[in-house]
Amino acid sequence: MAEAAPGRTVWILAGEASGDVLGARLMAALRRRDPTLRFAGVGGTRMEEAGLRSLFPLRDLAVMGLVEVLPRLRHLSRRLDQAVADIAATRPDLVVTIDSPGFALRLLRRIAELGIPRVHYVAPQVWAWREHRVREFPGLWDRLLCLLPFEPDFFGRHGLDARFVGHPVLQSGVDRGDGAAFRARHGIAPTTPVLILMPGSRRSEAPRLLPVLGRTLRILMATCPGIVPVVPVSPVVADVVRRGVADWPVRPIVVTDLVEKHDAFAAAGAALTKSGTSTLELALAGVPMAVTYRVNPITAALARRLIRVPYVAMVNLLAGHRLVPELLQERCRPGLLAETVHRLLTDGHSAVLQRAGFRAVMAKLAAPEGDPDDAAAAELMAVLDGHSAA
């Protein structure tokens, strides 16, 4: 391995809350390997706490869905121009983009002519829908880092070099929460049911799910008296969530701190969550769940025509069967959601079956060697050192 050049710069982009957490862990793992590294780019609260001065607020990029994105296209285009200009001026030794393919892949394409090594972390889920997009990927990056064990084979069939580095959820600490401490802090009795409600980490998606969750809670209050709702959210959307729950029949505990979130998971008897990484977090914590989601009807209609996988929930895809209920779009109804949650809270057999399935899923996500963030950092350092040696 070439001797580390001092003061090298890594320009890193995270476009949403989950990428911000990944980015902060990755920065720490890279610094363990080379303490002289400097960082620039775009991130959120976690990456800023790790020492990044974000070029612009992460929340400017946290938009999901075709109809939701359209009104903000001009603003997103300006942010893309700003990021390209900053990379051209900074001339970093490596550019790392994390997830957020709508923005990240455009950025990688725009900076290709600069000759800077590029790594994309979190493979675009083209195996799920619009597989033809994979033809656009050659030349976008020097290395692709995957979180899911089946992804390298998929990209390999299309002639793309991809490396499985394990899933960072395994390092999140979400399975080490203290439920008793959470109950004590909030004055919740040991037998009172606690329900986790996760409406999404993007400012454009949380408002769409919060009203139906509030109506679901109103129904549950009759069948599960005293139920305590907890809404873990990223700081990026906390203000949106607090406004959205103001008219709920019972004021939920809104959690933005990671340790508090893990403690809440440990105290919970069930969860209703949108699809995505949150299903893996809940699975690792052993919280029985149902997945629900509602997007703009036009976005939903387009998605149905393009999706090529049998399940939306990541935990179901990895399990290979419907381990947890999926109540999507038209089935995202308060009555059906309340009935499903009540069953999860009261039917011990359902909870046991889910938890057994969760353990099998988690075993598939381990890195080939070491922890996921170290495995990812090792891949990045190999690219960085290889470029420095050249």
Side-chain angles (χ1 to χ4, degrees):
M1 179 183 292
E3 184 177 349
R8 293 177 296 182
T9 299
V10 177
W11 201 101
I12 186 167
L13 166 81
E16 54 189 283
S18 59
D20 183 38
V21 174
L22 286 186
R25 290 192 197 128
L26 188 59
M27 288 168 66
L30 286 167
R31 278 206 179 100
R32 288 194 294 271
R33 291 173 174 269
D34 182 356
T36 71
L37 286 177
R38 298 190 299 258
F39 294 96
V42 178
T45 305
R46 318 293 183 200
M47 290 169 66
E48 288 176 336
E49 289 172 353
L52 179 77
R53 181 176 293 181
S54 187
L55 181 64
F56 50 78
L58 176 147
R59 64 175 176 270
D60 287 2
L61 305 182
V63 183
M64 180 181 181
L66 175 64
V67 175
E68 292 80 4
V69 167
L70 286 175
R72 303 195 61 191
L73 277 177
R74 181 170 296 183
H75 182 68
L76 290 168
S77 179
R78 286 198 297 268
R79 289 307 197 197
L80 179 60
D81 291 342
Q82 188 177 356
V84 170
D86 190 66
I87 292 170
T90 305
R91 302 298 299 192
D93 298 277
L94 177 67
V95 172
V96 181
T97 51
I98 303 174
D99 206 358
S100 304
F103 189 89
L105 301 190
R106 287 178 173 83
L107 177 63
L108 293 174
R109 184 173 291 109
R110 288 275 301 274
I111 65 171
E113 63 186 21
L114 298 177
I116 299 168
R118 294 157 292 156
V119 175
H120 187 64
Y121 185 24
V122 185
Q125 293 181 355
V126 289
W127 42 263
W129 71 312
R130 294 176 64 191
E131 185 174 335
H132 66 274
R133 290 181 300 165
V134 76
R135 296 194 295 268
E136 304 169 8
F137 294 165
L140 284 185
W141 52 66
D142 296 278
R143 194 158 295 183
L144 176 64
L145 307 185
C146 303
L147 307 189
L148 302 174
F150 58 80
E151 290 178 324
D153 285 344
F154 169 83
F155 287 103
R157 290 197 298 272
H158 293 277
L160 294 167
D161 180 24
R163 316 288 177 89
F164 173 58
V165 294
H167 203 292
V169 72
L170 298 176
Q171 294 180 267
S172 65
V174 73
D175 55 335
R176 297 191 291 273
D178 188 335
F182 182 85
R183 289 176 178 272
R185 282 195 297 273
H186 296 281
I188 305 169
T191 57
T192 298
V194 173
L195 173 65
I196 299 293
L197 299 170
M198 302 188 74
S201 60
R202 300 177 179 94
R203 295 176 71 85
S204 60
E205 65 181 346
R208 193 172 296 280
L209 201 51
L210 285 171
V212 72
L213 294 179
R215 292 193 293 272
T216 300
L217 187 59
R218 190 177 298 277
I219 296 170
L220 281 168
M221 289 173 64
T223 58
C224 300
I227 189 169
V228 176
V230 180
V231 184
V233 294
S234 74
V236 174
V237 297
D239 59 328
V240 172
V241 168
R242 288 192 173 97
R243 288 195 299 270
V245 304
D247 61 349
W248 281 17
V250 57
R251 187 63 60 91
I253 300 170
V254 177
V255 171
T256 58
D257 178 77
L258 277 178
V259 174
E260 183 80 344
K261 171 183 170 179
H262 299 167
D263 289 351
F265 280 16
L272 268 179
T273 180
K274 53 85 178 177
S275 58
T277 304
S278 56
T279 66
L280 298 181
E281 292 178 332
L282 290 163
L284 182 59
V287 183
M289 77 184 91
V291 173
T292 191
Y293 209 70
R294 179 181 288 179
V295 296
N296 183 284
I298 297 174
T299 300
L302 290 170
R304 284 195 179 102
R305 293 171 60 91
L306 298 170
I307 289 177
R308 293 291 181 265
V309 291
Y311 309 111
V312 168
M314 188 62 67
V315 69
N316 285 342
L317 284 172
L318 289 164
H321 61 93
R322 196 178 299 276
L323 179 59
V324 305
E326 295 187 0
L327 306 171
L328 312 174
Q329 210 60 15
E330 295 85 358
R331 301 187 73 217
C332 178
R333 303 192 307 271
L336 184 54
L337 295 179
E339 177 186 329
T340 303
V341 168
H342 184 263
R343 184 168 62 252
L344 291 175
L345 288 170
T346 59
D347 181 1
H349 183 63
S350 294
V352 168
L353 288 177
Q354 282 202 14
R355 290 186 178 114
F358 295 161
R359 288 190 291 271
V361 165
M362 291 299 113
K364 297 178 181 180
L365 296 178
E369 186 175 341
D371 290 328
D373 61 358
D374 282 328
E379 294 288 351
L380 294 183
M381 291 303 297
V383 174
L384 191 57
D385 290 340
H387 180 68
S388 299

